[in-house]
Amino acid sequence: MDKEKQQQQFSLHENSKNEGLEFFRVSHGEKLLTTNQAVGVSNTDDSLKAGVRGPTLMEDFHFREKLTHFDHERIPERVVHARGFGVHGYFQAYESMNEFTKAKFLQDPTVKTPVFVRFSTVVGSRGSADTVRDVRGFATKFYTEDGNYDLVANNIPVFFIQDAIKFPDVVHAIKPEPHNEIPQASAAHDTFWDFVVNTPETAHMIMWLLSDRAIPRSFRMMEGFGVNTFRFINDQGKARFVKFHWKPLLGIHSLVWDEAQKLAGKDPDYHRRDLWEAINMGEYPEYELGVQMLEEEEEFSFDFDILDPTKIWPEEIIPVRRIGKMTLNGNVDNFFAETEQVAFHPGHVVPGIDFSNDPLLQGRLFSYLDTQLIRLGGPNFHEIPINRPVAPIHNNQRDGYHRMTIDRGSVSYSPNTLQGNAPLPTPENGYVHYTEKVEGQKIRQRSDSFMDHYKQATLFWNSMSNAEKQHIIEAFHFEVGSVMDKGIKQRVVDMFNNVDGQLAIQIAAGVGATPPSAPGGTGVTTSSPALSQENTVMNPRTRKVAILLENGFNYQDISQVMEALKANGLQAEIVSKNLGILTGIEGQQLEVGKNYLTTASIKYDAVYIPGGQQSIKTLMLQGDALHFINEAFKHAKTIGATNEGVDLLLNSAIQGVAMAGTDTQDQLITEMGVVTIRNVTDINTFSQEFINLISQHRHWIRQNKKQMIPA
Ligand code: HDE
């Protein structure tokens, strides 16, 4: 690397990581084919043979190189979080956090620190589906001027276990069962629930895992949580406990279970495609970085232990302060080079951020480097372009597999006089571990303060809306209903009776177990509004609307709605029986985006049916179109129809559930998230109402009607 390139790489600005990567990027278009030794290749389709029908010759170095490289082009997938998707971006602080931390990237609001984020699922293999019920990983690497800082977070704020020594157990239990490798990417099997009923500390996390949080609508619409307790250290050396949060500006939104399952088949790449497309369109996802801070003296002020990773710090008690914003604005050039090879580690901290004694965090500090040594094949993976800090590296570490750096000179030890003892430690600026006082006997024991496993699970349950509660019960019915062992099912009921009596009764009813005999619950009656998705930001931007259309459509209807959708940042796509061009009543032409084979209602947030007698007549005869509407209704999505379009809804299963009076009246009617209007040319009020309904995400008022809809 020449000096000029080096300089560029080390000056910190929004683009400094990108510039560092530029050095390694290669394009192959309009280039001549060579071997890895840069020798020109004359033919890559026929191996060198002794006679046209004879055996292949060993001396065919091009054949050998091509096959050998291919034979070795897989590396082990991550033991957890194997399936992921990475994107570039930058972070900018809102204000200086100097009072609390000396971390450089949190000092100057004019500085844009480059980041790389990898979202992931935990349980499934690399090729598994995106929309499975699972925790999502949300790992961020900040390339700061003081070195790399990794915030290795999840979208759920608590964890299954309290001590890292149990991590192999929980992962073995939840992964596919070892004898037959079934099921893929799912907790719905005996070994996992066997572990749960034998491990009461999982109760709180299970409530989150079975809630809507575990089936996000988009990576762009979920929170991130550092889970473990860390420390902020300021330049006077004062420490405070801190928990990290990411808050998505689009709000927190989820799929429904039936939709998530169907998407897993129809579009296993649903989440990565959503993120890829949003970034390509310039709709950059944004997340605010939030911190909850506690003074050291407050360590014992709560009825939970602040070091216990199965507990949240309720936001109403310890507020989240939003201290900056991350914008994700760049897709990768190469999935393997960037997303697959990136290596995160909660132990990658910078001065100003330190650890706590959270026993889960302590174990994590060992595990990440250890797993990466084998996954990335040796100790030099920090030299892989995506992992390189933008700040310079100088030390006496040498050699090992895949060493790229050419370290000059004879000195690779310290102390030395030959090089003036360089590279020199810097006591003033270098990382100094917080001088926490610790004393105690060596002991394998859990602290008594970690022993309550149910109170916050009750708090979570209390905080859910009726619809969210219903989803959790249905998730129990699916997950525990998939368990074969009757004893385990019964123990699930008994265990969750400790959380809430009604919950346990309802679980029992769906899984064929006996309702609990003892009264349930913890006595906790409070709730935390921050936990319910019902209280999140409602924003229609980037939502996708399917427009069902055939020849003979009313152009006036569709053009007005499409314009309004575009003006509000929503996406519209025409769906029809066949791809190609459709013609309106007055000859206007529109291109079909998808047919019923290449898409489905589950890939949209809303459905619109414009008027046009002929178009509607054709649609009425299409089972696919009616199914599309029924399914969208069942999944609680916004549905809109104008003029003759209303007749199509009256032909669907919605009729009788949510269409009272629609066939006779002309004015705008909204019922259960279905909006209609007839006999009008100006449908501006309709468009506004339609968008307003879409911004509400889903209409749970239909919750009890969904059984009536055949879809
Ligand atoms: Fe991880 N975790 N983890 N984890 N984790 C890994 O590291 C581990 C935990 C998280 O996109 C592994 O490089 C232990 C909590 C994310 O590359 C491994 C324990 C949280 C990712 C590992 C935990 C996480 C990982 C596997 C309990 C949320 C994906 C591959 C003591 C705060 C990062 C790898 C990426 C990955 C160990 C628990 C988040 C094996 C031992 C809690 C987002 O080292």
Side-chain angles (χ1 to χ4, degrees):
M1 192 183 305
D2 60 34
K3 276 271 160 4
E4 203 181 319
K5 278 268 185 220
Q6 255 182 5
Q7 289 311 324
Q8 272 179 10
Q9 202 182 339
F10 302 154
S11 67
L12 189 84
H13 50 88
E14 178 189 353
N15 224 14
S16 36
K17 182 63 194 171
N18 192 26
E19 284 166 3
L21 292 176
E22 187 55 27
F23 182 80
F24 298 95
R25 291 191 179 112
V26 185
S27 302
H28 301 292
E30 294 174 20
K31 297 287 185 319
L32 299 178
L33 187 67
T34 72
T35 66
N36 280 341
Q37 304 306 317
V39 174
V41 173
S42 57
N43 173 352
T44 191
D45 299 325
D46 299 294
S47 57
L48 187 70
K49 293 185 276 299
V52 283
R53 300 181 62 249
T56 300
L57 297 177
M58 274 292 277
E59 72 176 63
D60 186 351
F61 57 82
H62 174 50
F63 167 83
R64 279 190 284 115
E65 181 193 275
K66 193 172 170 182
L67 267 284
T68 308
H69 197 279
F70 169 76
D71 293 342
H72 295 264
E73 67 190 26
R74 286 288 173 277
I75 63 170
E77 66 174 32
R78 288 164 174 80
V79 59
V80 284
H81 296 265
R83 181 170 179 81
F85 198 67
V87 289
H88 295 272
Y90 64 89
F91 172 82
Q92 205 166 3
Y94 285 150
E95 55 182 324
S96 171
M97 290 295 285
N98 188 254
E99 185 187 344
F100 308 105
T101 174
K102 58 186 173 190
K104 286 258 174 56
F105 74 105
L106 296 175
Q107 304 301 314
D108 183 350
T110 65
V111 171
K112 291 181 174 176
T113 302
V115 299
F116 187 73
V117 176
R118 184 175 179 272
F119 297 105
S120 51
T121 51
V122 178
V123 180
S125 314
R126 230 188 97 177
S128 57
D130 278 350
T131 58
V132 295
R133 177 177 297 283
D134 198 355
V135 183
R136 298 300 184 285
F138 185 155
T140 305
K141 191 179 285 295
F142 296 78
Y143 303 92
T144 86
E145 62 182 288
D146 266 354
N148 286 353
Y149 167 57
D150 292 354
L151 177 48
V152 195
N154 278 346
N155 78 328
I156 288 180
V158 288
F159 203 62
F160 294 106
I161 47 169
Q162 295 173 320
D163 190 317
I165 199 167
K166 290 167 80 78
F167 191 63
D169 298 302
V170 64
V171 174
H172 286 174
I174 202 168
K175 281 266 183 183
E177 298 189 8
H179 58 314
N180 56 11
E181 236 211 359
I182 296 174
Q184 177 60 242
S186 169
H189 57 116
D190 285 52
T191 56
F192 179 64
W193 287 94
D194 187 17
F195 180 83
V196 168
V197 295
N198 283 298
T199 317
E201 72 209 58
T202 56
H204 189 195
M205 177 75 167
I206 293 295
M207 296 300 292
W208 284 82
L209 184 68
L210 268 55
S211 79
D212 294 346
R213 299 277 182 152
I215 41 172
R217 156 68 179 80
S218 162
F219 292 139
R220 302 177 293 124
M221 300 173 199
M222 59 183 210
E223 284 179 296
F225 303 92
V227 177
N228 298 118
T229 300
F230 288 84
R231 278 190 170 93
F232 265 165
I233 314 288
N234 69 12
D235 43 19
Q236 280 94 55
K238 182 172 165 51
R240 289 178 178 84
F241 292 109
V242 61
K243 272 203 195 281
F244 294 104
H245 296 246
W246 287 117
K247 301 276 188 191
L249 293 195
L250 289 176
I252 314 153
H253 302 286
S254 292
L255 302 168
V256 296
W257 177 234
D258 181 57
E259 183 187 20
Q261 277 192 304
K262 289 172 174 169
L263 275 169
K266 291 215 175 192
D267 189 2
D269 305 308
Y270 183 73
H271 284 145
R272 54 172 65 176
R273 191 190 307 283
D274 167 275
L275 186 55
W276 173 264
E277 287 179 352
I279 289 177
N280 283 345
M281 282 185 313
E283 288 285 353
Y284 301 141
E286 294 174 315
Y287 309 80
E288 286 181 315
L289 181 65
V291 288
Q292 286 175 297
M293 289 184 286
L294 285 178
E295 300 295 330
E296 297 239 294
E297 304 75 60
E298 293 175 286
E299 183 170 359
F300 302 107
S301 311
F302 305 94
D303 66 349
F304 54 87
D305 194 318
I306 64 152
L307 300 184
D308 177 353
T310 65
K311 304 294 182 292
I312 55 165
W313 296 359
E315 293 186 20
E316 291 75 22
I317 305 176
I318 306 159
V320 176
R321 175 167 172 167
R322 297 177 186 228
I323 63 170
K325 191 173 76 180
M326 176 167 75
T327 306
L328 301 180
N329 62 355
N331 277 314
V332 297
D333 288 302
N334 183 284
F335 182 89
F336 181 85
E338 299 174 70
T339 307
E340 198 57 16
Q341 294 200 108
V342 67
F344 296 95
H345 185 356
H348 291 163
V349 288
V350 288
I353 299 178
D354 209 318
F355 313 115
S356 76
N357 295 333
D358 171 344
L360 199 72
L361 175 61
Q362 291 287 319
R364 292 181 77 199
L365 296 179
F366 164 74
S367 185
Y368 288 70
L369 171 61
D370 184 44
T371 197
Q372 284 149 11
L373 284 171
I374 190 153
R375 188 169 71 79
L376 298 168
N380 288 316
F381 60 84
H382 61 281
E383 296 193 31
I384 295 172
I386 194 67
N387 293 326
R388 285 171 179 244
V390 293
I393 301 173
H394 296 291
N395 58 43
N396 292 321
Q397 290 160 31
R398 296 286 185 277
D399 309 348
Y401 281 115
H402 318 302
R403 185 69 176 183
M404 306 289 156
T405 311
I406 302 171
D407 302 290
R408 285 184 167 152
S410 60
V411 172
S412 56
Y413 55 89
S414 162
N416 69 68
T417 35
L418 292 178
Q419 210 171 252
N421 207 23
L424 284 166
T426 44
E428 331 72 64
N429 300 325
Y431 192 92
V432 179
H433 288 265
Y434 179 57
T435 51
E436 181 188 3
K437 184 163 186 263
V438 258
E439 56 185 333
Q441 288 170 315
K442 289 183 193 169
I443 189 165
R444 280 190 194 276
Q445 196 182 306
R446 204 74 59 90
S447 165
D448 284 345
S449 56
F450 277 45
M451 288 308 178
D452 161 49
H453 304 313
Y454 296 113
K455 281 201 195 119
Q456 286 205 351
T458 309
L459 177 76
F460 183 77
W461 175 249
N462 291 348
S463 309
M464 295 290 100
S465 65
N466 285 339
E468 288 171 318
K469 281 186 173 162
Q470 190 57 34
H471 295 164
I472 292 172
I473 291 163
E474 288 166 8
F476 268 106
H477 290 174
F478 174 83
E479 297 279 320
V480 183
S482 308
V483 169
M484 295 296 139
D485 186 287
K486 289 200 171 110
I488 295 176
K489 287 190 202 189
Q490 190 59 50
R491 286 179 66 188
V492 173
V493 172
D494 298 340
M495 175 171 165
F496 284 87
N497 193 42
N498 292 313
V499 177
D500 185 89
Q502 269 310 310
L503 170 65
I505 290 169
Q506 304 227 42
I507 299 172
V511 303
T514 313
S517 45
T522 53
V524 172
T525 52
T526 47
S527 60
S528 167
L531 302 183
S532 170
Q533 292 177 233
E534 202 113 299
N535 305 322
T536 190
V537 177
M538 300 293 176
N539 184 341
R541 256 203 112 71
T542 72
R543 293 312 185 110
K544 279 187 91 172
V545 180
I547 303 181
L548 304 192
L549 214 65
E550 286 295 340
N551 281 318
F553 58 84
N554 178 339
Y555 183 75
Q556 243 184 353
D557 279 16
I558 188 172
S559 59
Q560 287 177 70
V561 171
M562 281 177 87
E563 217 164 279
L565 292 175
K566 197 168 166 206
N568 287 277
L570 291 87
Q571 316 283 313
E573 189 160 58
I574 295 173
V575 178
S576 189
K577 183 161 187 282
N578 296 311
L579 297 176
I581 302 291
L582 293 175
T583 309
I585 310 169
E586 286 147 21
Q588 304 93 336
Q589 298 205 313
L590 288 173
E591 186 167 3
V592 177
K594 293 270 161 49
N595 62 20
Y596 295 111
L597 292 173
T598 55
T599 197
S601 85
I602 49 177
K603 296 180 82 172
Y604 302 89
D605 297 288
V607 186
Y608 167 55
I609 302 124
Q613 218 168 22
Q614 198 198 327
S615 172
I616 296 303
K617 239 170 106 180
T618 314
L619 285 168
M620 277 188 189
L621 300 174
Q622 291 175 0
D624 283 338
L626 291 167
H627 175 76
F628 201 102
I629 295 166
N630 292 345
E631 191 174 55
F633 185 82
K634 190 168 189 149
H635 295 157
K637 294 174 180 172
T638 299
I639 295 173
T642 48
N643 295 316
E644 295 89 347
V646 182
D647 294 331
L648 186 65
L649 295 192
L650 289 169
N651 254 38
S652 76
I654 304 176
Q655 206 269 342
V657 178
M659 299 281 296
T662 315
D663 47 345
T664 51
Q665 293 177 25
D666 291 349
Q667 77 269 33
L668 189 78
I669 301 178
T670 302
E671 203 189 339
M672 293 189 179
V674 180
V675 54
T676 53
I677 197 164
R678 274 179 180 284
N679 302 324
V680 285
T681 46
D682 177 358
I683 54 170
N684 201 25
T685 50
F686 167 87
S687 299
Q688 290 320 313
E689 175 69 351
F690 187 48
I691 291 167
N692 168 39
L693 290 172
I694 296 171
S695 73
Q696 294 169 32
H697 181 61
R698 298 296 165 94
H699 305 284
W700 303 123
I701 188 171
R702 292 183 207 153
Q703 184 83 9
N704 298 328
K705 308 276 182 188
K706 68 178 183 198
Q707 296 307 334
M708 298 163 66
I709 305 291

